[in-house]
């Protein structure tokens, strides 16, 4: 194995591309987001490329955009994550399987069961993307008329995390002797009843599933707000960040890793993986032409709706050819809103220009040749801008194939990316330790 620092790569695969025009690109699969055969083929190609994980975002409501924009969106429907990832576990053997599950509208016992099951089914490849849901329409699907306040969502999320991980530790690793001779299937002394009672949850336990293969599935978070950063520093093992450029990436990296230092957590126990939109060409000009063609497929209805969602405010009444006006704060994602306002100010964009950018993909993008893309990724890795990337592809399947067939070999040639998997679990791919069982570790220490 190379002694150089190693790049970690996740694949953002729900939706299969974040670009609104992806399904319209020539040669693309228009139904890729909701076609199991296509998704199986993509997951297997990612595994061929030795990706750490297949990441599936999720929404608990149809996206809250005007119907004129929604009718042009590939994300109007998609598979429920656990159902899809359980199916993918049967047709892959190494790639990690990460699903989003909300702490705002789910119950801890449900989430603990689902991820423990997925981890056993996949042989230790599950990861939980912990999110606090900001879509106000989701509240209406769960018997609520309004949405929980931003900061309160994070307080609830911390208790949710503590409860779920406590449930995963219900059984010691050696709780199941399954001894036919004695007739002992499990040892009751190796069972812990959680009896959690807190401000938000009352959960007796124990979980009715054996401890996951990985101890706990890998904990993944996203978001850049102050509460989100602190929660990630305290609990996450990978964070899907949003950094528009290397300077912002390095500032975010230093901030979050510094929080780990203050908490006494080793820095390498949390991998920071910014989202990166990658367009590969045989020349820089070809790659830019692909991007321009793709952006040209975004309808303005979708563009202005994307801007409204990002701002948490209806932008349809703004002057399209004027600057972005002052936007009042809302209960939507603050980090997304601030990134959009900063982008408009930094590049002096009109509302129309800003909407068109957001309607396609406005985040960090590497557009170039395999060599230039590898150069940029290597610079981020070596200068502490990131530990790798959560890659989103411009269109499917060609955009993904280009990355695996052309960029991956270039990264491997430089010695900064694996040539083969060295372990079988997602924790092993990411170089993360297997958590000790907190209850039985403490019990054994007292007995000793």
């Amino acid at each position: 194995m190379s002694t150089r620092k190693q790049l970690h790569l996740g694949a953002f695969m729900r939706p299969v591309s974040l670009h609104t025009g992806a399904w319209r690109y020539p040669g693309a699969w228009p139904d890729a987001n909701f076609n199991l055969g296509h998704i199986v083929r993509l997951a297997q190609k990612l595994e061929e490329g030795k990706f750490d994980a297949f990441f599936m975002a999720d929404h608990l409501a149809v996206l809250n955009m005007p119907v004129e924009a929604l009718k042009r969106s590939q994300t109007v429907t998609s598979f429920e994550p656990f159902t899809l990832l359980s199916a993918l576990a049967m047709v892959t053997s190494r790639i990690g399987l990460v699903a989003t599950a909300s702490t705002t509208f789910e119950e801890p016992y449900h989430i603990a069961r689902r991820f423990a099951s997925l981890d056993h089914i996949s042989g230790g490849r599950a990861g939980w993307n912990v999110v606090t849901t900001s879509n106000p329409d989701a509240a209406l699907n769960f018997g609520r008329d309004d949405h929980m306040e931003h900061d309160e969502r994070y307080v609830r999320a911390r208790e949710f995390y503590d409860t779920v991980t406590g449930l995963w530790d219900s059984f010691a690793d050696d709780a199941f002797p399954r001894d036919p001779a004695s007739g002992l299937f499990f040892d009751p002394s190796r069972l812990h009843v959680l009896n959690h009672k807190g401000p938000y949850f009352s959960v007796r336990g124990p979980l009715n599933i054996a401890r996951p293969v990985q101890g706990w599935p890998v904990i993944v978070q996203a978001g850049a707000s102050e509460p989100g950063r602190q929660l990630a520093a305290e609990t996450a093992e990978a964070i899907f960040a949003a950094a528009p450029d290397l300077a912002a990436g390095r500032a975010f990296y230093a901030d979050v890793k510094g929080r780990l230092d203050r908490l006494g957590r080793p820095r390498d126990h949390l991998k920071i993986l910014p989202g990166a939109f990658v367009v590969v060409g045989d020349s820089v000009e070809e790659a830019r032409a692909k991007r321009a063609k793709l952006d040209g497929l975004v309808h303005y209805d979708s563009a202005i709706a994307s801007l409204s969602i990002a701002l948490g405010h209806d932008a349809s009444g703004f002057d399209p050819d004027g600057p972005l006006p002052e936007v009042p704060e809302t209960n939507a994602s603050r980090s997304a809103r601030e990134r959009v306002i900063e982008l408009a100010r930094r590049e002096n964009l009109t509302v129309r220009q800003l909407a068109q950018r957001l309607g396609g993909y406005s985040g960090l993008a590497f557009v170039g040749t395999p060599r230039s893309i590898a150069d940029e990724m290597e610079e981020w890795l070596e200068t502490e801008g990131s530990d790798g990337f959560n890659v989103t592809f411009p269109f499917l399947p060609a955009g993904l194939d280009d990355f695996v067939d052309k960029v991956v070999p270039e990264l491997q040639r430089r010695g900064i990316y694996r040539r083969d998997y060295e372990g079988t679990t997602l924790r092993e791919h990411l170089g993360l330790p297997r958590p000790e069982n907190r209850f039985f570790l403490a019990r054994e220490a007292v007995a000793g």
Side-chain angles (χ1 to χ4, degrees), residues 23-349:
W23 66 275
R24 301 181 65 198
Y25 198 85
W29 291 333
D31 63 341
N33 204 48
F34 205 66
N35 182 310
L36 179 59
H38 288 339
I39 295 174
V40 166
R41 190 273 205 199
L42 297 171
Q44 291 174 336
K45 186 69 175 182
L46 290 166
E47 189 166 74
E48 178 187 322
K50 314 306 176 189
F51 269 65
D52 290 280
F54 179 111
F55 168 56
M56 193 177 181
D58 192 34
H59 302 282
L60 295 174
V62 172
L63 292 179
N64 56 329
M65 62 172 65
V67 70
E68 287 302 308
L70 187 65
K71 72 182 186 183
R72 306 182 190 283
S73 171
Q74 66 181 321
T75 62
V76 64
T77 64
S78 69
F79 292 113
E80 187 280 321
F82 290 93
T83 310
L84 176 60
L85 294 184
S86 294
L88 294 183
M90 299 296 94
V91 294
T92 58
S93 62
R94 296 294 184 90
I95 193 167
L97 303 167
V98 181
T100 293
S102 172
T103 63
T104 306
F105 298 113
E106 299 276 12
E107 290 294 327
Y109 201 88
H110 283 148
I111 295 304
R113 290 189 77 215
R114 290 171 193 158
F115 278 104
S117 293
L118 180 61
D119 205 52
H120 282 289
I121 288 168
S122 65
R125 294 186 280 142
W128 173 25
N129 177 37
V130 183
V131 301
T132 65
T133 303
S134 61
N135 181 354
D137 286 359
L140 303 178
N141 292 333
F142 292 86
R144 301 180 190 177
D145 294 328
D146 55 9
H147 204 282
M148 189 179 296
E149 289 298 322
H150 181 274
D151 289 355
E152 185 183 2
R153 293 201 301 266
Y154 283 95
V155 176
R156 174 187 167 102
R158 179 55 202 256
E159 185 183 339
F160 198 111
Y161 162 88
D162 290 337
T163 307
V164 169
T165 54
L167 287 169
W168 285 335
D169 283 345
S170 293
F171 291 95
D173 290 324
D174 61 354
F176 296 91
R178 300 184 181 96
D179 180 14
S182 68
L184 183 67
F185 188 85
F186 97 96
D187 180 353
S189 72
R190 309 300 283 165
L191 168 68
H192 177 83
V193 179
L194 186 63
N195 279 324
H196 172 83
K197 293 188 184 298
Y200 295 97
F201 305 107
S202 177
V203 182
R204 178 182 179 272
L207 192 65
N208 58 350
I209 296 177
R211 194 164 191 250
V213 174
Q214 297 182 99
W216 302 350
V218 173
I219 304 296
V220 180
Q221 289 186 31
S225 67
E226 171 59 31
R229 292 185 190 209
Q230 189 59 28
L231 183 65
E234 293 173 3
T235 65
E237 295 168 302
I239 182 167
F240 293 157
D245 52 44
L246 180 54
R250 293 184 68 186
F252 182 85
Y253 190 98
D255 177 77
V256 174
K257 296 282 186 171
R259 293 172 193 248
L260 264 67
D261 293 341
R262 293 190 290 276
L263 291 165
R265 290 188 66 193
R267 284 192 160 214
D268 61 354
H269 286 191
L270 173 59
K271 309 300 183 186
I272 296 178
L273 309 173
F277 181 76
V278 182
V279 184
V280 186
D282 291 332
S283 66
V284 172
E285 292 72 24
E286 182 188 44
R288 288 175 178 167
K290 287 182 180 180
R291 172 98 198 245
K293 185 178 186 68
L294 184 61
D295 288 344
L297 297 173
V298 179
H299 196 281
Y300 186 71
D301 290 346
S302 298
I304 199 67
S306 297
L307 177 58
S308 297
I309 291 172
L311 292 174
H313 184 87
D314 183 5
S316 61
F318 294 169
D319 176 5
D321 298 309
L324 184 69
E326 290 295 321
V327 181
E329 285 198 14
T330 71
N331 203 31
S333 172
R334 291 178 185 171
S335 54
R337 174 183 174 276
E338 289 165 3
R339 284 196 300 273
V340 172
I341 293 172
E342 171 58 26
L343 172 63
R345 290 173 180 163
R346 185 174 66 247
E347 299 191 22
N348 196 29
L349 300 176

Side-chain angles (χ1 to χ4, degrees), residues 165 168-169 173 211 214-216 427 433-442 444:
T165 54
W168 285 335
D169 283 345
D173 290 324
R211 194 164 191 250
Q214 297 182 99
W216 302 350
R427 286 189 173 278
R434 186 177 188 273
E436 297 284 353
N437 189 312
R438 74 189 80 171
F439 303 120
F440 293 98
L441 188 68
E444 287 155 3

